[in-house]
């Protein structure tokens, strides 16, 4: 049982997350990469810049991965997210989940990316071929948990 | 009390800075901090009146009571992944 999460300003490789999951008890490793695609809302994209509220993003990403592991009950989770410039085709997020069985691995991997999309305090500035750029509207961050408002 | 407002992405561009220190009366809430910030300039007024926010790195509501030294981050809709 292990969780490894981080944000980084250097290019993400599949091996970075794969190396941090899996034991001889596992029979499945699910891997997800999010990549920068060419076309978004009809405009040609040359790259993205990811900005993060870094200390909070590190905490939230660790919490998401811990929740994924809890859903599985056994196995391991690694998740890394980029900050800074990511070119077209580059990976913005990499997730690896190892589990004794594939269903749990796929489920946990899906959980991590879906929660990242709605909870991780990260923003992207999309750059276009015509030299313009725009902050992408994303998901409204979630309502706080009651326990988190008490402080 | 004094609190530090952090701004990100689109909100940072509206503010022209990534952080603003605010002096607020005791008993002020996160909503009071947002209102004070929005009243400080025409472009700042374009920040939503009820943005998502975090207090000391945890998602929080506008009703959250603030304390001296708190860090209040105004969060545009997130777009990770």
């Amino acid at each position: 049982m292990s969780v490894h999460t981080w944000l980084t300003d250097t290019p993400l490789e599949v091996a970075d997350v794969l190396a941090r999951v899996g034991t001889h008890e596992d029979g499945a490793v699910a891997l997800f990469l999010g990549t920068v695609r060419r076309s978004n809302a009809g405009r040609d994209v040359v790259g993205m810049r990811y900005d993060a509220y870094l200390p909070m993003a590190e905490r939230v990403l660790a919490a998401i991965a811990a929740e994924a592991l809890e859903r599985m009950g056994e196995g391991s989770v690694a998740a890394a997210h980029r900050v800074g410039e990511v070119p077209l085709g580059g990976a913005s997020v990499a997730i690896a989940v190892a589990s004794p069985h594939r269903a749990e691995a796929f489920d946990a991997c899906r959980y991590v990316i879906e929660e990242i999309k709605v909870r991780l305090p990260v923003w992207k500035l999309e750059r276009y071929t015509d030299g313009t750029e725009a902050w992408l509207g994303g998901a409204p961050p979630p309502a706080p948990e009651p326990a988190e408002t008490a402080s | 009390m004094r609190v530090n407002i952090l701004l990100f992405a689109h909100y940072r561009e509206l503010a022209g800075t990534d952080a603003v220190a605010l002096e607020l009366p005791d008993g002020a809430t996160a909503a009071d901090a947002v209102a004070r910030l929005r009243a400080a300039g025409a472009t700042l007024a374009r920040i939503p009146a009820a943005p998502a926010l975090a207090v000391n790195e945890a998602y929080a509501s506008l009703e959250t009571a603030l304390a001296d030294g708190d860090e209040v981050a105004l969060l545009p809709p997130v777009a990770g992944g």
Side-chain angles (χ1 to χ4, degrees):
Chain A
M1 300 262 288
S2 70
V3 167
H4 295 278
T5 58
W6 68 99
L7 287 94
T8 177
D9 60 1
T10 58
L12 282 178
E13 303 291 344
V14 172
D16 298 339
V17 287
L18 274 182
R20 288 172 171 81
V21 300
T23 70
H24 290 170
E25 310 312 312
D26 295 316
V29 178
L31 178 69
F32 177 84
L33 288 183
T35 57
V36 175
R37 68 167 172 264
R38 184 188 315 279
S39 178
N40 189 36
R43 304 188 68 183
D44 278 350
V45 173
V46 294
M48 300 271 199
R49 191 185 87 214
Y50 287 83
D51 281 4
Y53 180 14
L54 206 53
M56 182 176 172
E58 287 169 342
R59 289 163 65 147
V60 170
L61 190 56
I64 290 169
E67 290 161 14
L69 186 59
E70 192 178 332
R71 286 162 68 93
M72 290 196 295
E74 53 191 332
S76 44
V77 178
H81 200 291
R82 278 296 314 272
V83 293
E85 302 286 343
V86 182
L88 183 63
S92 54
V93 59
I95 302 162
V97 177
S99 167
H101 304 291
R102 67 186 180 282
E104 289 77 8
F106 276 122
D107 175 73
C109 192
R110 180 72 185 257
Y111 178 84
V112 172
I113 184 60
E114 298 300 337
E115 291 297 307
I116 283 173
K117 288 280 183 184
V118 295
R119 287 164 62 187
L120 196 67
V122 167
W123 301 274
K124 50 192 169 194
L125 182 69
E126 200 165 61
R127 303 188 192 283
Y128 305 103
T129 48
D130 63 5
T132 62
E133 56 191 29
W135 289 104
L136 289 197
E145 307 264 335
E148 292 179 331
T149 62
S151 62
Chain B
M1 64 175 157
R2 195 172 177 83
V3 301
N4 200 32
I5 310 295
L6 300 185
L7 299 143
F8 295 95
H10 181 51
Y11 298 170
R12 180 165 59 206
E13 290 186 354
L14 290 175
T17 180
D18 58 6
V20 177
L22 287 184
E23 194 69 38
L24 296 169
D26 287 347
T29 64
D32 296 328
V34 173
R36 177 73 64 84
L37 185 72
R38 295 181 72 246
T43 54
L44 285 166
R46 290 164 57 195
I47 292 173
L53 56 89
V55 176
N56 300 331
E57 301 177 10
Y59 285 113
S61 71
L62 285 162
E63 295 75 34
T64 303
L66 299 179
D68 188 51
D70 276 353
E71 184 174 89
V72 181
L74 305 191
L75 307 174
V78 299

